[in-house]
């Protein structure tokens, strides 16, 4: 119990297993250094961070760079942030489910497709469903995929 509140111990623990953040004290869940160490190891640890740190662009971008799906746990404002969303999409095309109205932003679809080089099937499907002409930005394997072509 006492170790959960000991900064040096917690920093070492989350550096090895980011999800250990859930077992730390609420005070340390609000410590930026501790949370950065955790999300750099496991992006999903963002869900255990204090709300203020879920609004911190640096912390959220570190989390989504490690695992794009961590975007789900970010503050709504950062979910709508173009740079943060592109980092998340480059890491995991599944983050497409969490970016909301950014799909409508000028040039975003092209940027999203290029974020991971048009390799992520889920992302390619999401993009070509919005604008089929962007299939041209996908890698050859995706352009030959029957489901992707039909979605375009």
């Amino acid at each position: 119990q006492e170790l959960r509140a000991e900064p040096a111990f917690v920093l070492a623990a989350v550096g090895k297993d980011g999800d250990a953040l859930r077992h730390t004290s609420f005070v340390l869940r609000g410590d930026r250094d501790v949370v950065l160490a955790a999300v750099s190891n496991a992006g999903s640890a963002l869900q255990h961070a204090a709300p203020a740190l879920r609004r911190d662009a640096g912390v959220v971008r570190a989390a989504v760079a490690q695992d794009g799906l961590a975007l789900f746990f970010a503050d709504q404002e950062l979910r709508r942030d173009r740079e943060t969303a592109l980092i998340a999409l480059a890491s995991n095309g599944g983050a497409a489910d969490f970016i909301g109205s950014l799909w409508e932003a000028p040039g975003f679809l092209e940027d999203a497709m290029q974020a991971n080089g048009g390799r992520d099937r889920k992302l390619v499907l999401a993009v070509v469903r919005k604008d089929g002409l962007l299939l041209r930005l996908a890698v050859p394997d995706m352009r030959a995929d029957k489901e992707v072509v039909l979605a375009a």
Side-chain angles (χ1 to χ4, degrees):
Q1 193 83 340
E2 293 173 19
L3 288 177
R4 295 180 346 157
E6 175 57 43
F9 175 80
V10 169
L11 200 53
V14 300
K16 292 181 188 228
D17 177 8
D19 287 323
L21 185 64
R22 71 176 143 187
H23 300 295
T24 65
S25 71
F26 288 107
V27 171
L28 290 179
R29 291 181 194 196
D31 182 297
R32 191 171 196 277
D33 292 333
V34 168
V35 172
L36 270 172
V39 300
S40 295
N41 181 278
S44 62
L46 185 63
Q47 68 186 300
H48 305 296
L53 292 177
R54 291 193 220 174
R55 291 187 294 272
D56 181 305
V59 170
V60 171
R61 289 177 183 156
V64 300
Q66 199 285 324
D67 178 359
L69 297 179
L71 189 62
F72 178 78
F73 303 110
D75 180 75
Q76 289 296 320
E77 187 75 22
L78 283 170
R79 284 173 136 192
R80 293 187 297 267
D81 176 72
R82 182 184 196 97
E83 183 180 345
T84 303
L86 290 173
I87 293 168
L89 290 170
S91 172
N92 187 322
D97 294 339
F98 311 124
I99 61 174
S101 63
L102 264 178
W103 287 118
E104 312 306 323
F108 185 78
L109 290 174
E110 292 89 345
D111 291 346
M113 184 71 93
Q114 293 172 343
N116 65 22
R119 289 173 171 55
D120 188 294
R121 189 170 191 276
K122 184 171 175 108
L123 176 59
V124 170
L125 277 167
V127 170
V128 300
R129 284 182 178 130
K130 304 257 184 216
D131 184 346
L133 295 176
L134 293 177
L135 182 59
R136 65 183 161 68
L137 299 177
V139 295
D141 288 351
M142 290 292 117
R143 292 194 308 260
D145 183 301
K146 183 178 179 179
E147 184 181 359
V148 171
V149 171
L150 290 174

